[in-house]
């Protein structure tokens, strides 16, 4: 290992200072805005991948990537260069970076309320930047206080606080993973938030698509004190430091840095179903049609059906963009039936062509696959065969993908595509991605293909129907996938253990800029869920942005369906109806994610960080600041304890109207079908009515106001966004954005609706009021 020691005098140019280091390396420190700095450590030859696809301050990047030499899109305030206590100091506004030598180390500081600069992140004082493995890896070491907390890293397992653990950012098809300790999973997210013991916060994002190891206190050395470190399997380092006052500042800042989440169509927030058992059935067309009919017969509200890849299978082998006409003799008739039922459809898509795929030879001739050093396609195991991964950094391959999506998927009748199995487990040494004409080692570009695959699917769906917002899904990918898609925690295992820990997996994704997240209801792999577990899983996902029931149970030979257990069918129906009642609120928070980067669901500390108890481990979460959900994740429980954060005057039980003081732990009933749910006093929520229609339940009129006044006198407000659910309403102005305001006194409860943007009007007189703690007070429309 070789550490960096010497630091030459800085050369200041505008917002950045560059320092000469040993062996031709250079260090560049740039102040990009009042809350963002960037550090680049590169060899004389430059960064081995000279572009980024994750950093997108303008909302997106060119298909061929954004040059790392480009700081456009940021404020880039003029920096100053000075010296202090032996350090060279690069500063602008309220942030500064102190650069020290012997050894080289950096200290990142932010001006406090006292007007003085205080460190928020500090490199360790010995061997802070180290070259390893003959320069093929770089390690970055920072000091660590044992009371620090760490959050983020995408779909990682275990408690939300990552302290004491080591993780790898490496995409794997992690079927049946352990949701508490398994690692790595499906995504590559080298981003985390640091919360210091004094409550100051900062974020670190390492802009690399190469594998990354993040050690947050697992490793110790007698010679270096208490530290944490990040190892990048690349000979250069490019990382961003995000500054702020609260964790929410860092999370929202990271979303802006990597591109704000898209706003999917409203139907995608409804309940959806898929199973490989259905599409793999010998009579798949009849099976899927029968499932839709039974949903109506059993009064199950549902918005879409997702087809597993069985529509393209021959035996167990999958042939993307082909159809098995034995199982689907007349797909157009099936789609006509489902359209007549107002059900949307989504097709599973895979980025590998099996070696006997009819298009394989043509793609190989066009050099459209990942390639070996000798120019031949990389061949890897894929499902029950061998095949080659499509190279989405080749424009011709991306064009083939888009054409196939239109011709074989969208033209046939599907509404959208679902990008699956796109972890790109291609492990052959020396294999290359085309890189849009500048080859990139596959080792340093696996997550990029998931990102570009998802983008190609999203863009082609948009091209086909430009008046409507496209929808797509991806299982894998790096920061940036949120610009196009929703995601989920992959092929989870059916158990109570998974249910409990999946809750945290999803909240971690939410803290990592992934707004529309969820988990396979009932568990994908493993045994069939028992009645209670299935019901509790539906309840928890009814309160998440994504609610899809998905399973593959070869030992059982049957899909998990809403009616798998008749004993809980009524309770499952009730939980799904609750989802549709709350859909206007969830959709509003999806709008907020799209415009600000605020996640729709979040841990308690995200909105209530002044309450130290919120940083404990909880089996509960927030939907915006107004709703606290407390799903039951233990077998046999019919009551559960819930902590209600300090902040509002109190909290109201959504189901019973009981009022509880803030800052207390309460025990409430939790019968099957009724997950505990609390409303912040001061909230005024727009909901769907109590009667949920079976046809297009996601479009049911949102004309119920749930008011949560307090005692005595007070006021509050809640955000509401409303549009047609599918058009580019924010661009055209055809939407309502505003607040529902609430005030109360001992004699009356006042409510008013105030529009702040958009040309849509909604009238207070159109609403039905629900106010469980109204008492004798008179409602008054302002």
């Amino acid at each position: 290992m070789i550490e960096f020691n010497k630091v030459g005098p800085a050369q200041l140019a505008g917002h950045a200072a560059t320092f000469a280091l040993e062996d031709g390396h250079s260090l560049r420190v740039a102040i990009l805005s009042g809350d963002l700095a960037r550090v680049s450590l590169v060899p004389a030859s430059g960064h081995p991948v000279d572009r980024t696809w994750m950093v997108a301050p303008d909302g997106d990047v060119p298909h061929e990537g954004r040059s790392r030499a480009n700081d456009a899109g940021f404020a880039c305030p003029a920096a100053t260069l000075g010296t202090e206590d032996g350090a060279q100091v690069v500063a602008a506004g309220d942030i500064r970076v102190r650069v020290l030598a012997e050894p080289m180390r950096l200290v990142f500081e932010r001006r406090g309320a006292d007007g003085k600069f205080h460190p928020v992140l500090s490199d360790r004082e010995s061997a802070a930047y180290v070259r390893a493995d003959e320069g093929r890896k770089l390690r970055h070491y920072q000091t660590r206080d044992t009371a620090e907390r760490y959050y983020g890293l995408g779909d990682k397992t275990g408690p939300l606080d990552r302290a004491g653990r080591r993780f790898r950012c490496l995409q794997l098809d992690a079927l049946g993973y352990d949701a508490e300790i398994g690692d790595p999973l499906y995504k590559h997210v080298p981003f985390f938030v640091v919360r210091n013991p004094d409550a100051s916060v900062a974020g670190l994002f390492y802009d690399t698509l190469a594998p990354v190891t993040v050690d947050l206190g697992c490793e110790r050395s007698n010679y270096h004190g208490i530290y944490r470190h990040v190892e990048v399997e690349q000979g250069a380092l490019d990382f961003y430091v995000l500054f702020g006052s609260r964790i929410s500042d860092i999370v929202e800042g990271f979303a802006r840095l990597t591109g704000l989440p898209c706003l999917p169509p409203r139907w995608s927030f409804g309940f959806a179903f898929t199973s490989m058992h259905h599409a793999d059935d010998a009579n798949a067309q009849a099976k899927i049609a029968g499932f839709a009919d039974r949903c109506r017969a059993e009064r199950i509200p549902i918005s879409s059906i997702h087809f597993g890849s069985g529509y393209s299978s021959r035996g167990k082998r999958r042939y993307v963009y082909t159809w098995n006409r034995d199982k689907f003799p007349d797909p157009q008739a099936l789609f006509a039936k489902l359209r007549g039922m107002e059900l949307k459809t989504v097709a599973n898509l895979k980025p590998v062509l099996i070696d006997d795929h009819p298009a394989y030879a043509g793609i190989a001739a066009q050099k459209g696959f990942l390639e070996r050093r000798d120019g031949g396609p990389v061949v890897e195991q894929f499902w029950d065969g061998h095949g080659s991964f499509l190279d989405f950094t080749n424009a011709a391959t991306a064009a083939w993908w888009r054409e196939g999506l239109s011709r074989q998927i969208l033209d046939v009748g599907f509404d959208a595509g679902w990008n699956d199995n796109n972890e790109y487990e291609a492990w052959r040494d020396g294999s290359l991605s085309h890189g849009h004409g500048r080859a990139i080692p596959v080792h340093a570009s696996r997550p990029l293909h998931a990102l570009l695959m998802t983008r190609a699917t999203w863009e082609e769906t948009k091209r086909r129907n430009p008046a409507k917002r496209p929808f797509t899904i991806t299982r894998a990918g790096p920061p940036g996938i949120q610009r196009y898609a929703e995601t989920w925690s992959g092929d989870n295992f059916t158990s109570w253990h998974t249910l409990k820990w999946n809750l945290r997996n999803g909240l971690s994704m939410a803290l990592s800029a992934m707004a529309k997240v969820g988990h396979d209801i009932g568990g994908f792999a493993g045994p069939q869920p028992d009645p209670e577990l299935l019901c509790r899983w539906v309840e928890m996902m009814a309160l998440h942005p994504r609610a899809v029931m998905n399973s593959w149970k070869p030992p059982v030979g049957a899909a998990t369906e809403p009616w798998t257990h008749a004993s809980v069918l009524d309770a499952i129906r009730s939980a799904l109806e609750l989802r549709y009642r709350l859909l206007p609120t969830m959709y509003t928070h999806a709008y907020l994610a799209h415009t600000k980067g605020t996640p729709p669901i979040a841990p308690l500390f995200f909105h209530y960080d002044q309450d130290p108890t919120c940083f404990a481990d909880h089996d509960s979460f927030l939907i915006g600041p107004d709703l606290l959900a407390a799903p039951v994740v233990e077998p046999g429980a019919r009551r559960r304890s819930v902590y209600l954060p300090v902040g509002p005057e109190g909290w109201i039980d959504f189901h019973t109207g009981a009022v509880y003081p803030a800052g207390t732990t309460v025990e409430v009933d939790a019968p099957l079908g009724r997950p505990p749910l609390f409303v912040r006093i001061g909230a005024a929520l727009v909901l769907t009515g109590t009667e949920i229609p079976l046809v297009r339940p996601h479009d049911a009129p949102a004309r119920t106001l749930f008011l949560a006044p307090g005692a005595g006198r007070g006021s509050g407000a809640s955000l509401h966004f409303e549009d047609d659910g599918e058009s580019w309403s924010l661009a055209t102005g055809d939407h309502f954005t505003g607040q529902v305001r609430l005030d109360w006194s001992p004699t009356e409860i006042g409510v008013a609706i105030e529009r702040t943007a958009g040309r849509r009007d909604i009238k207070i007189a159109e609403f039905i009021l629900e106010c469980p703690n109204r008492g004798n007070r008179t409602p008054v429309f302002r």
Side-chain angles (χ1 to χ4, degrees), residues 52 561 575:
T52 178
E561 297 169 319

Side-chain angles (χ1 to χ4, degrees), residues 381-399:
Q381 180 180 345
F382 189 75
W383 287 51
D384 292 305
H386 288 82
S388 297
F389 283 94
L390 293 165
D391 185 346
F392 282 90
T393 68
N394 184 325
T397 304

Side-chain angles (χ1 to χ4, degrees), residues 263-267 465-470 587 594 699 721-735 759-760:
L263 178 61
R266 191 164 56 219
W267 62 262
N465 197 345
K468 294 184 178 180
R469 302 195 302 268
Y587 190 62
H594 175 63
D699 284 335
F721 172 78
E722 185 174 306
D723 67 355
D724 62 11
E726 60 181 12
S727 73
W728 299 92
S729 61
L730 289 174
T732 64
D734 186 20
H735 63 92
R759 63 171 180 266
R760 281 202 172 203

Side-chain angles (χ1 to χ4, degrees), residues 13 33 439 470 527 548 553 567 589 711:
S33 71
V548 180
K553 310 289 187 186
S567 61
H589 288 295

Side-chain angles (χ1 to χ4, degrees), residues 266 577-585 654 685-693 696-706 720 767-768 770:
R266 191 164 56 219
E577 288 173 346
L578 174 63
R579 174 176 189 80
Y580 283 101
R581 285 217 71 198
L582 297 174
L583 194 148
T585 295
F654 178 85
L685 303 178
V686 178
L687 307 178
T688 301
T690 55
E691 296 297 322
I692 306 299
R696 295 175 64 173
H698 48 275
D699 284 335
R703 288 296 178 267
T704 297
L705 283 179
F706 187 102
H720 179 57
F767 285 83
I768 298 170
E770 287 186 29

Side-chain angles (χ1 to χ4, degrees), residues 480-536:
I481 57 173
Q482 73 276 2
R483 304 192 292 252
Y484 321 111
E486 72 172 36
T487 191
W488 83 109
S489 58
D491 295 342
N492 55 354
F493 187 83
T494 299
S495 68
W496 285 96
H497 177 265
T498 300
L499 179 67
K500 178 183 179 70
W501 291 103
N502 263 173
L503 173 58
R504 293 148 178 84
N505 301 151
L507 294 175
S508 181
M509 287 191 281
L511 293 176
S512 305
M514 292 171 246
K516 197 163 185 291
V517 297
H519 317 284
D520 284 345
I521 295 173
F524 180 84
Q528 195 76 266
D530 64 40
E532 183 187 14
L533 177 56
L534 177 58
C535 185
R536 294 307 195 190

